[in-house]
Amino acid sequence: MTDFRDQATAAELEKRIREEIASRQAKIRELQNEIHSFEQMLLKARRQNALVKRVDVTRKNSLGRVLVESSVLEALAQTGRVRGTTSLYRDACLIVGTLREGTFRTTLHRMKNRGLIASVGNGKWQITLPGMQLVNPSLSPQSRSTEN
């Protein structure tokens, strides 16, 4: 048993207890950050699952393309401003880890040809109204007419 009449011993014990508390609080923060990351991954997986259910995916490569296109449209819609090819590519790689840059650039140009995004300069992209309507179907004219 510790003799608490000795001030140095009592101070040392208090110091060790405070260090343990700080250590445990750091572990709690770390676990809370992990939980937050897993929650974000779960939300992203649910969105992707809902997207795949909405889109007819018949070919093996179509799933990756749909996920990449969705990533680009969501990134452009969320920021609401022009984004560069490299920035969009990094976001898409988080979704499809095996995505090659050449494939990604081809996907961007096909999306441009379909009118979902527009090029606003050298490697800079912005979302168009049809692209916004894909991200948020409530913006489409048909859904507005059914609401009235």
Side-chain angles (χ1 to χ4, degrees), residues 60-98:
K60 176 183 163 190
N61 293 341
S62 295
L63 178 60
R65 177 186 49 79
V66 167
L67 293 175
V68 168
E69 287 179 358
S70 172
S71 168
V72 169
L73 291 173
E74 285 182 15
L76 290 172
Q78 284 177 355
T79 60
R81 62 179 210 274
V82 174
R83 299 249 332 247
T85 301
T86 306
S87 171
L88 292 170
Y89 175 67
R90 277 190 240 119
D91 288 351
C93 282
L94 296 174
I95 306 296
V96 180
T98 59

Side-chain angles (χ1 to χ4, degrees), residues 1-14:
M1 190 78 189
T2 306
D3 183 11
F4 291 110
R5 288 177 288 188
D6 179 18
Q7 291 298 318
T9 305
E12 180 64 30
L13 178 62
E14 184 178 333

Side-chain angles (χ1 to χ4, degrees), residues 7 20 32 35 39 45 51 59 70 84 88-89 91 97 135 137:
Q7 291 298 318
E20 279 297 318
Q32 287 173 332
I35 288 170
E39 288 172 342
L51 174 71
R59 294 179 49 219
S70 172
L88 292 170
Y89 175 67
D91 288 351
V135 173

Side-chain angles (χ1 to χ4, degrees), residues 24-129:
R24 301 277 164 83
Q25 287 174 334
K27 286 180 183 177
I28 289 170
R29 280 191 301 274
E30 191 176 298
L31 288 171
Q32 287 173 332
N33 287 339
E34 284 184 34
I35 288 170
H36 179 71
S37 294
F38 282 120
E39 288 172 342
Q40 293 300 316
M41 289 169 54
L42 180 61
L43 289 173
K44 189 176 282 190
R46 285 179 179 162
R47 278 195 311 256
Q48 290 173 358
N49 188 26
L51 174 71
V52 169
K53 285 181 181 177
R54 281 195 330 242
V55 178
D56 181 30
V57 179
T58 55
R59 294 179 49 219
K60 176 183 163 190
N61 293 341
S62 295
L63 178 60
R65 177 186 49 79
V66 167
L67 293 175
V68 168
E69 287 179 358
S70 172
S71 168
V72 169
L73 291 173
E74 285 182 15
L76 290 172
Q78 284 177 355
T79 60
R81 62 179 210 274
V82 174
R83 299 249 332 247
T85 301
T86 306
S87 171
L88 292 170
Y89 175 67
R90 277 190 240 119
D91 288 351
C93 282
L94 296 174
I95 306 296
V96 180
T98 59
L99 181 64
R100 292 185 7 224
E101 193 169 355
T103 304
F104 179 71
R105 290 177 187 276
T106 300
T107 302
L108 286 178
H109 285 283
R110 288 180 178 166
M111 291 174 71
K112 176 185 165 192
N113 292 340
R114 289 178 19 228
L116 301 176
I117 60 175
S119 175
V120 291
N122 192 13
K124 305 289 183 192
W125 303 93
Q126 72 180 15
I127 193 164
T128 62
L129 183 59

